[in-house]
Amino acid sequence: MTLSATLDLSSLLPLPSPRASRRLRDSHGRAITDLRVSITDRCNFRCVYCRTGNEGAQYSELAHADYLRMIRLFVSLGVEKIRLTGGEPLLRGGLIELVQEIAKLRTVFTPLPEPLDLAITTNGHLLAGMAQPLKEAGLTRVTVSMDAVDAETFAAITRVPRSFDRVLAGIRAASAAGLGPVKVNCVLLRGFNDTQIEAFAEFSRRENVIVRFIEWMPLEEDRSWNKETVVTLDEIVGRLNAYRPEGLDVAGLVDLPANASSETARRYTFADGRGEIGIIAPVSRPFCGHCSRVRLTSDGKIRTCLFSQMDHDLSGRMIRGASDDELSAYIRQVVDRKEARHHIGEEGFEKPSRSMVHIGG
């Protein structure tokens, strides 16, 4: 009998509508489709807005097989986008093999099974040599955290001398490997790197990357955040609306539509369509109402929001022998209690129990 004759075509038909009710949702009706998985608490940068520079990794790492089991459970419940984070995920040995295994998974709640949207957020320091192997392993996209486009400012932020050229090479290698359009994330701090806004606009146009400015959130290790240091969406838009890119006769931004209702960035381009600017504004323009994300920390804890006050110990239950059905039920229970929104800037706001580097971006 031939392979085609034995294939059960019923598996390719659209899922019956009652199944949609079993998709992972929180109590606010939001479908959870995005999972961010930190695979290490270690980082080879010491960025001033993130780390004190004195503390190293504080949380353990799991075996890749444990992350893979957790990811499979989330995918079976409706997750369609996986982003590997850290710390710095490119520091983990066996990363290529982990990506290969995740890339074999398929969506469950689409009319036909589809490959996952599989991405990595990295500081780019090791990316030049890994971009092509990651692409071949099944990685879809890369986001690079890069907070300046000149070497001196970049070194002052990362506290790693001579790192800028390596990160730039990593961005170009990722673009060449087909992991694009590469997204470049910049966290702006007033009085520190806010002079870089226009230079990043030119960088987006020159390198054909998406630059995304992110408002600084209270997630740093040394608890030094204050609202006055935040460069807001309105300020960034005002600066770029007054800026005329090289080769253009007119200044100003052009709005772009959102790619999805859960997209975190407001999108813009310029009059000639070259370059894309995104602005992620969790402080001045929160987007919690459409949040589709949950996170797994490097030690296997679920966090339902960056600003959660507690972790939910999925790995502990797994280690104690819980079945897949029991773990899935626990995930549903945790996600059902996902916060409606964060409370940055409000009276009584409490910073989260972990800083950003120990949660996973």
Side-chain angles (χ1 to χ4, degrees):
M1 183 178 292
T2 65
L3 178 62
S4 59
T6 63
L7 181 63
D8 181 8
L9 295 179
S10 65
S11 65
L12 302 179
L13 296 175
L15 298 171
S17 57
R19 182 165 187 164
S21 66
R22 302 206 302 273
R23 183 170 203 152
L24 188 62
R25 293 182 183 272
D26 65 18
S27 62
H28 309 286
R30 296 171 297 193
I32 303 305
T33 56
D34 303 72
L35 177 66
R36 302 189 174 202
V37 184
S38 175
I39 57 173
T40 181
D41 196 41
R42 295 174 289 135
C43 189
N44 47 358
F45 281 6
R46 296 176 295 139
C47 297
V48 295
Y49 62 85
C50 180
R51 313 206 71 158
T52 64
N54 301 316
E55 303 291 338
Q58 296 183 21
Y59 297 93
S60 60
E61 301 169 355
L62 302 179
H64 284 329
D66 293 334
Y67 294 127
L68 186 59
R69 183 182 177 192
M70 293 178 185
I71 290 169
R72 283 175 173 150
L73 289 172
F74 274 97
V75 171
S76 74
L77 296 172
V79 161
E80 297 170 0
K81 298 180 181 180
I82 304 292
R83 179 173 293 275
L84 302 179
T85 71
E88 174 44 49
L90 301 192
L91 291 175
R92 276 299 302 261
L95 175 61
I96 302 297
E97 291 76 16
L98 177 62
V99 169
Q100 287 174 332
E101 291 303 311
I102 298 172
K104 295 176 184 177
L105 301 178
R106 295 294 181 266
T107 59
V108 173
F109 290 91
T110 50
L112 294 176
E114 299 174 1
L116 303 178
D117 183 349
L118 177 54
I120 278 182
T121 294
T122 171
N123 62 31
H125 194 70
L126 302 174
L127 184 57
M130 296 184 68
Q132 187 62 43
L134 284 167
K135 174 65 176 179
E136 293 170 358
L139 193 70
T140 309
R141 296 181 291 111
V142 165
T143 297
V144 177
S145 299
M146 177 180 174
D147 300 305
V149 288
D150 73 81
E152 183 178 352
T153 305
F154 189 82
I157 293 172
T158 62
R159 293 184 280 203
V160 177
R162 299 176 298 279
S163 52
F164 176 77
D165 288 342
R166 292 190 62 165
V167 175
L168 180 58
I171 291 170
R172 290 172 174 170
S175 293
L179 291 169
V182 174
K183 293 179 180 177
V184 175
N185 284 353
C186 171
V187 177
L188 290 172
L189 281 72
R190 189 177 310 283
F192 203 79
N193 66 339
D194 54 325
T195 59
Q196 300 279 302
I197 292 173
E198 293 82 3
F200 264 113
E202 290 294 350
F203 184 81
S204 173
R205 292 166 62 81
R206 182 175 66 251
E207 299 290 338
N208 193 30
V209 298
I210 299 171
V211 167
R212 302 196 301 180
F213 296 112
I214 303 175
E215 293 180 345
W216 187 34
M217 294 176 283
L219 290 163
E220 74 294 359
E221 277 186 335
D222 62 1
R223 307 296 180 176
S224 61
W225 184 89
N226 65 79
K227 198 167 185 177
E228 289 68 34
T229 311
V230 177
V231 183
T232 66
L233 178 145
D234 286 345
E235 184 173 344
I236 298 167
V237 169
R239 289 264 297 270
L240 291 176
N241 269 331
Y243 179 66
R244 182 171 62 82
E246 183 177 342
L248 279 183
D249 295 329
V250 294
L253 294 171
V254 176
D255 288 351
L256 290 173
N259 291 307
S261 62
S262 61
E263 186 166 39
T264 58
R266 300 190 180 208
R267 301 172 61 230
Y268 307 88
T269 187
F270 297 95
D272 60 357
R274 284 184 56 210
E276 181 179 327
I277 303 296
I279 305 176
I280 300 174
V283 178
S284 68
R285 304 285 180 86
F287 39 80
C288 304
H290 299 289
C291 184
S292 60
R293 290 166 294 284
V294 293
R295 288 170 166 80
L296 278 174
T297 63
S298 65
D299 55 341
K301 308 298 193 297
I302 302 173
R303 291 187 69 89
T304 52
C305 175
L306 274 173
F307 296 95
S308 294
Q309 292 300 315
M310 63 182 299
D311 303 323
H312 304 275
D313 191 8
L314 183 62
S315 63
R317 284 166 171 75
M318 188 174 70
I319 291 167
R320 292 191 292 272
S323 67
D324 284 357
D325 286 345
E326 290 169 333
L327 294 174
S328 294
Y330 179 67
I331 291 170
R332 288 189 183 278
Q333 174 188 335
V334 168
V335 167
D336 186 66
R337 299 198 300 267
K338 178 175 168 63
E339 300 85 340
R341 61 187 181 93
H342 66 66
H343 298 274
I344 297 174
E346 298 178 15
E347 186 176 352
F349 169 74
E350 295 183 23
K351 293 188 178 181
S353 54
R354 297 195 192 201
S355 58
M356 183 69 162
V357 73
H358 305 301
I359 296 172

